[in-house]
């Protein structure tokens, strides 16, 4: 079976994930906002990449992880407009562009899996923007699962708290001592599961690779 395609940025975490999954990388622009980012001038490079990348040959398995470095946690009321644009609007724009390419590149009968940062509910203080982005990704996954289902394409998501969680955390303790886990072990394992043909009945599903912390 051909290696999966991983759509993501040049961030080290994405490169490491590609190596662990044995995936071919499709590198997208970072789309970092310049200045306050309100004029969206950075979006032109993102759109140009999407137009070019969608024209490449289809593959049967696609992983989507358009990550950038993680910001520091901060209360929502302390985020100024530039912070919000960078942490939420730019991030969602990357995800929308990446999903557009994933949809176009995934062959009939294939599988798309998104890997998104998400702090567990008990640990999400200071991560309002990132939580909103994760909610947006879940909505996009369910939408694509509906639209691409008729051609046999499955679309699912895996969430990971690994990049957003610092120990110790508040009680109750997570069920598994490995919490918050790692991108390259717990999260990558869940991604592999959803890419496998044995997951034929799973689409529009969100798997939380958080060692049971979310209780869902």
């Amino acid at each position: 079976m051909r290696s999966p395609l991983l759509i993501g940025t040049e961030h080290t975490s994405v490169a490491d994930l590609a190596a662990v999954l044995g995936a071919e990388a499709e590198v997208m622009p970072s789309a970092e906002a310049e200045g306050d980012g309100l004029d969206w001038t950075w979006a032109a490079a993102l759109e140009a990449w999407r137009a070019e990348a969608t024209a490449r040959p289809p593959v049967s398995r696609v992983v989507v992880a358009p990550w950038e470095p993680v910001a520091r946690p901060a209360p929502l009321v302390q985020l100024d407009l530039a912070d919000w644009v960078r942490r939420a609007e730019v991030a969602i724009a990357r995800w929308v562009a990446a999903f557009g390419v994933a949809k176009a590149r995934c062959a009939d009968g294939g599988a798309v899996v998104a890997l998104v940062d998400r702090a567990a509910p008990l640990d999400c203080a200071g991560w309002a923007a990132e939580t909103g982005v994760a909610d947006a990704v879940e909505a996009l996954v369910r939408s694509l699962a509906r639209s691409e289902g008729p051609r046999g394409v499955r679309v699912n998501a895996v969430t990971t708290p690994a990049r957003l969680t610092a120990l110790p955390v508040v009680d109750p303790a997570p069920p598994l001592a490995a919490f918050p886990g790692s991108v390259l072990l717990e999260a990558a394992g869940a991604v592999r599961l959803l890419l496998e043909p044995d997951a034929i009945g799973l689409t529009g599903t969100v798997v939380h690779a958080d060692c049971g912390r979310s209780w869902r």
Side-chain angles (χ1 to χ4, degrees):
M1 183 181 293
R2 182 178 173 182
S3 299
L5 175 70
L6 194 155
I7 300 172
T9 61
E10 291 184 311
H11 191 270
T12 302
S13 294
V14 180
D16 290 344
L17 178 64
V20 166
L21 295 175
E24 300 176 9
E26 171 66 54
V27 179
M28 64 190 302
S30 65
E32 282 295 337
E34 298 179 1
D36 60 18
L38 296 180
D39 58 5
W40 281 58
T41 54
W42 48 267
L46 194 60
E47 184 59 29
W49 165 79
R50 178 165 64 172
E52 179 183 356
T54 54
R56 298 188 181 117
V59 296
S60 61
R61 297 177 296 164
V62 184
V63 180
V64 185
W67 293 351
E68 291 289 349
V70 175
R72 291 184 178 182
L76 181 60
V77 295
Q78 293 182 10
L79 297 182
D80 61 21
L81 186 56
D83 287 332
W84 177 258
V85 168
R86 178 175 54 85
R87 294 175 67 156
E89 294 187 13
V90 175
I92 291 174
R94 284 197 306 268
W95 276 102
V96 170
F99 272 129
V101 174
K103 172 183 174 179
R105 296 287 300 278
C106 190
D108 293 356
V112 176
V113 179
L115 181 55
V116 60
D117 292 312
R118 183 183 196 116
L122 286 171
D123 313 310
C124 69
W127 300 111
E130 289 72 20
T131 299
V133 170
D135 283 344
V137 171
E138 290 190 21
L140 289 166
V141 162
R142 294 189 175 100
S143 177
L144 285 176
R146 292 287 297 177
S147 68
E148 305 310 300
R151 62 187 186 95
V153 172
R154 299 181 295 106
V155 185
N156 294 288
V158 172
T159 72
T160 174
R163 300 204 311 153
L164 303 183
T165 306
L167 298 176
V169 294
V170 299
D171 288 335
L176 297 179
F179 177 83
S182 72
V183 170
L184 303 183
L185 185 59
E186 286 82 0
V191 169
R192 289 193 196 94
L193 181 152
L194 292 172
L195 288 174
E196 287 297 317
D198 284 349
I200 190 171
L202 300 177
T203 195
T205 296
V206 180
V207 174
H208 303 290
D210 64 359
C211 302
R213 180 68 164 169
S214 295
W215 294 104
R216 57 186 178 134

